Amino acid sequence: DRLSGQLRDLETALDQGQLRVAAKYHREIHQARLSDPLKERFRLLSDRLHELQNRRAFVTMPKRRALCERMVALGESRLDPEQKARKIKQLHKEWQCLGPANSRDDQRLWARFKTASDAAYAPCATHFAVQDAEREANRLEKVRICEALEDFVATTEWTSIDYPQVSSMLHQSHTAWHNTADIPRRTIRP
C-alpha cells in the first residue's frame, strides 16, 4: 500500500513536471522490494522520468554553456567590484534556476562555471577585504571616541565645570565622529 502510494506520488510529480520531487520518489522506491505488478509500473515511470530528465538536459545544456561564457566575460570585464559582485550573484541564481547538474557534462560545465566565477570574484574579494579593514578601523575609532566621552563624563568635576572645556570636548568628539566613515556592514558576496 505504501509503495503504491509512492508510485502514485511519483506519477503525479512527473505529470506536474516536478523532476526533483519525482527523482526523490524514484530513489526511495528504487531501494524497496517491489512485487511484479509494481515493478512493471515502476519501470514505466522510470523510463518516463529518464526521458523527461534527458529532455530537460537537452534544453538546459546550451543555457549552462551560455552562463559559462557570460561568467568568463564578466571575469575579463572592468566593472567596479560592487557591480561585478552583483552580476556574479545574479549568474549564480540563473544557474540554480536550471536545476541540478546531474550528468557528467553538467558537472564539467559546473566546474568551468565555478572556476570562472572564482576568477571573476578574486578582485572583488580583495576590494571587500580592504573595505572590511577600513570599516573595522573606523569602528575602533568610534569606540575610542565613545570611551573618551565616557571617561570625560566620569572624571569631570561637575560642581566646578569649565563650560568652554566641555564645549570644546563635545565639538572635537562630534567632529571626530563625523570624520570617521562607516563601520562594518554586510557586503554583497556570491
Side-chain angles (χ1 to χ4, degrees):
D1 239 8
R2 180 182 62 83
L3 290 174
S4 292
Q6 285 181 313
L7 285 168
R8 272 193 310 277
D9 292 340
L10 171 59
E11 188 169 18
T12 300
L14 289 171
D15 290 342
Q16 295 174 352
Q18 298 174 335
L19 291 183
R20 282 185 187 172
V21 174
K24 176 184 159 250
Y25 287 129
H26 185 269
R27 281 189 303 274
E28 291 172 3
I29 297 167
H30 184 69
Q31 296 171 357
R33 284 219 165 137
L34 299 172
S35 63
D36 287 339
L38 293 180
K39 280 182 186 176
E40 180 58 25
R41 185 171 173 207
F42 179 66
R43 188 189 62 73
L44 292 172
L45 291 172
S46 293
D47 290 346
R48 191 169 158 208
L49 173 63
H50 292 133
E51 180 185 334
L52 288 172
Q53 287 173 329
N54 289 338
R55 207 177 296 156
R56 178 168 283 177
F58 179 76
V59 170
T60 61
M61 186 68 69
K63 291 178 182 179
R64 290 184 197 279
R65 284 189 189 110
L67 284 171
C68 287
E69 295 304 320
R70 288 172 55 199
M71 188 63 80
V72 168
L74 184 58
E76 295 167 356
S77 74
R78 298 209 182 270
L79 289 173
D80 74 81
E82 299 277 342
Q83 286 179 310
K84 191 177 272 194
R86 277 192 289 279
K87 288 189 181 271
I88 290 169
K89 188 174 184 176
Q90 179 58 42
L91 290 177
H92 274 269
K93 283 182 181 178
E94 289 179 38
W95 183 278
Q96 288 172 350
C97 286
L98 295 176
N102 295 326
S103 73
R104 286 187 190 148
D105 288 337
D106 286 344
Q107 289 297 320
R108 279 191 283 267
L109 284 174
W110 167 247
R112 181 177 170 215
F113 181 81
K114 181 72 170 108
T115 300
S117 173
D118 291 345
Y121 189 74
C124 302
T126 302
H127 169 77
F128 290 134
V130 168
Q131 273 189 341
D132 289 346
E134 289 172 358
R135 287 187 180 119
E136 180 59 17
N138 292 337
R139 186 190 69 80
L140 292 173
E141 177 61 16
K142 288 188 176 194
V143 166
R144 188 202 61 75
I145 293 167
C146 290
E147 288 172 347
L149 284 170
E150 289 169 350
D151 185 52
F152 179 78
V153 168
T155 60
T156 298
E157 180 60 48
W158 293 100
T159 56
S160 59
I161 188 101
D162 179 5
Y163 286 104
Q165 179 188 12
V166 172
S167 177
S168 174
M169 175 63 169
L170 288 174
H171 178 70
Q172 288 172 3
S173 297
H174 186 266
T175 301
W177 184 273
H178 287 288
N179 287 338
T180 305
D182 61 354
I183 56 174
R185 61 183 167 85
R186 192 165 168 213
T187 55
I188 301 167
R189 306 221 170 125

